[in-house]
Amino acid sequence: MHGEYKVPGGKLVVVDLDVEEGVLRRVRVAGDFFLEPDEAILAIDRALEGAPADTGAAGLAARIDQALPPGTEMYGLTTEGIGVAVRRALAHATDWTDYDWQLVHEPPQAPALHMALDEVLTAEVAAGRRPPTLRVWEWGAPAVVIGSFQSLRNEVDREAAERHGIEVVRRISGGGAMFIEPGNTITYSLSVPDALVQGLSFTDSYAYLDDWVLGALGDMGIKAWYQPLNDIATDAGKIAGAAQKRVVGGEGAVLHHVTMAYDIDADKMTDVLRIGREKLSDKGTKSARKRVDPLRRQTGLPREAVIDRMIASFRGRYGLTEGRITEEELALAKELAETKFATPEWTARVP
């Protein structure tokens, strides 16, 4: 069995192993990390040898911690990362490069249709009728997108939203409310087979699926990192929030979508989002600009250039072919938008 895992902000860990009579055998750990002293790598292998195959990543990390020579130094490597790589080997997890990725980047769509497209495309990936997909959104109207389990009245000032001409929609994933203005927002979705995140905890899957965009931001001169559970942050402040939804059916799939602040009207956002006021008061922060730091200021690039560089970074890492939403997928999404995402019953399902 073979497993790989890139430690967030670190290096690649590769594990090869067998399982015999329920325990790990012939374990070999490798990778492009740095480790001192040399004999520590042998200690890691010995610590994993004979471990019960149902041991979780934390339990495997504990075995390694106990076995490491005094003074061991790891660079780009963690014992938890090794444990995750082992679990991915045991789960027969796939890698990004095992797939032919497709890019979908189409003209602006209505907010409710975007919600529906996420559900439809991810279901198509789960069913094996669509390849793993990176979809870059273009917004047809300003919106507030609330999480699946959020209270509508607690999150949104409906009068303020109507005054500003902002549509309120509810997505299928959890997490917090997102304030959207078409020219000020960058949003993308990853619809991936469940096998890509096998062996990862829910938390680890966020970091794993966000890693490519951290690299893309780094190429633009932004030092960014994953901040548990679902934020992408820099020294200047938060720049993005992620959310996920597991889709059952077929082989299963995961929807991972991210909204990034290219620019932001902070006064309008805090006028519309009630939670924005609470978060600011809780943090002792007077201005939303200190909590959300837009990409426009950090990169100095036009929004379209930021998107182009992100796409190029993904393509350089994993390959990416141009694709489109099929007529059948669009028809399904339009019906779903009309019967679900644009209805008051769905939007106010948690009043």
Side-chain angles (χ1 to χ4, degrees):
M1 301 177 187
H2 179 87
E4 298 185 1
Y5 179 63
K6 184 179 180 298
V7 176
K11 298 293 186 177
L12 182 68
V13 183
V14 181
V15 176
D16 292 283
L17 57 85
D18 295 318
V19 175
E20 293 179 356
E21 298 181 350
V23 299
L24 308 187
R25 295 298 184 198
R26 291 175 287 281
V27 183
R28 293 293 180 268
V29 175
D32 60 354
F33 48 80
F34 300 91
L35 180 64
E36 295 288 348
D38 282 353
E39 56 266 26
I41 192 67
L42 301 178
I44 292 171
D45 292 344
R46 286 194 298 268
L48 296 171
E49 190 74 20
D54 60 357
T55 306
L60 295 169
R63 289 176 68 105
I64 298 169
D65 288 333
Q66 292 176 359
L68 288 174
T72 295
E73 296 286 345
M74 295 182 173
Y75 305 93
L77 175 68
T78 64
T79 56
E80 294 83 1
I82 299 170
V84 170
V86 171
R87 295 309 313 169
R88 285 178 60 75
L90 293 167
H92 302 284
T94 55
D95 184 69
W96 294 84
T97 54
D98 292 333
Y99 299 104
D100 295 323
W101 290 89
Q102 186 174 107
L103 171 68
V104 171
H105 188 192
E106 300 202 340
Q109 306 279 14
L113 185 57
H114 275 309
M115 305 301 109
L117 284 168
D118 262 357
E119 183 168 331
V120 168
L121 298 187
T122 307
E124 291 296 287
V125 171
R129 292 187 291 266
R130 160 170 284 279
T133 299
L134 168 64
R135 183 170 76 92
V136 179
W137 303 22
E138 294 295 344
W139 291 90
V144 167
V145 183
I146 60 174
S148 181
F149 311 108
Q150 288 188 295
S151 163
L152 177 60
R153 71 167 66 98
N154 289 345
E155 303 300 323
V156 183
D157 185 325
R158 298 297 296 274
E159 291 184 359
E162 290 178 9
R163 186 169 63 252
H164 293 294
I166 294 174
E167 183 177 347
V168 181
V169 292
R170 184 185 297 273
R171 61 181 184 266
I172 60 173
S173 62
M178 308 302 296
F179 178 76
I180 306 296
E181 291 183 299
N184 290 346
T185 305
I186 297 173
T187 304
Y188 68 86
S189 300
L190 288 169
S191 297
V192 307
D194 186 66
L196 183 63
V197 296
Q198 283 298 304
L200 299 175
S201 68
F202 190 71
T203 301
D204 288 338
S205 70
Y206 272 83
Y208 185 70
L209 294 176
D210 280 339
D211 187 68
W212 74 274
V213 81
L214 300 184
L217 292 169
D219 293 341
M220 288 181 267
I222 300 175
K223 182 181 179 181
W225 59 86
Y226 162 72
Q227 184 170 293
L229 170 66
N230 61 335
D231 288 346
I232 297 174
T234 70
D235 286 332
K238 172 183 172 179
I239 57 173
Q244 284 186 13
K245 176 67 176 179
R246 264 58 176 173
V247 175
V248 298
E251 297 298 318
V254 176
L255 168 66
H256 180 92
H257 43 201
V258 175
T259 293
M260 313 178 78
Y262 173 73
D263 203 350
I264 195 163
D265 185 331
D267 293 333
K268 188 186 296 184
M269 181 184 73
T270 54
D271 189 31
V272 173
L273 295 184
R274 297 185 191 278
I275 193 67
R277 304 167 197 167
E278 293 299 319
K279 281 189 175 181
L280 293 177
S281 63
D282 181 58
K283 300 293 183 181
T285 303
K286 294 182 180 179
S287 171
R289 298 182 189 277
K290 294 182 180 179
R291 280 190 47 80
V292 181
D293 197 70
L295 288 170
R296 182 181 64 83
R297 182 170 66 174
Q298 292 204 41
T299 65
L301 296 170
R303 174 180 176 274
E304 293 74 16
V306 174
I307 292 173
D308 288 344
R309 292 198 184 191
M310 288 171 57
I311 291 172
S313 180
F314 191 102
R315 181 177 285 118
R317 285 170 170 242
Y318 310 126
L320 191 64
T321 59
E322 299 289 333
R324 63 180 181 85
I325 299 168
T326 68
E327 292 183 6
E328 294 81 4
E329 290 167 340
L330 184 58
L332 286 171
K334 285 182 175 179
E335 181 181 3
L336 192 60
E338 182 179 346
T339 59
K340 179 179 179 179
F341 291 104
T343 66
E345 292 78 14
W346 170 257
T347 304
R349 76 185 190 104
V350 184

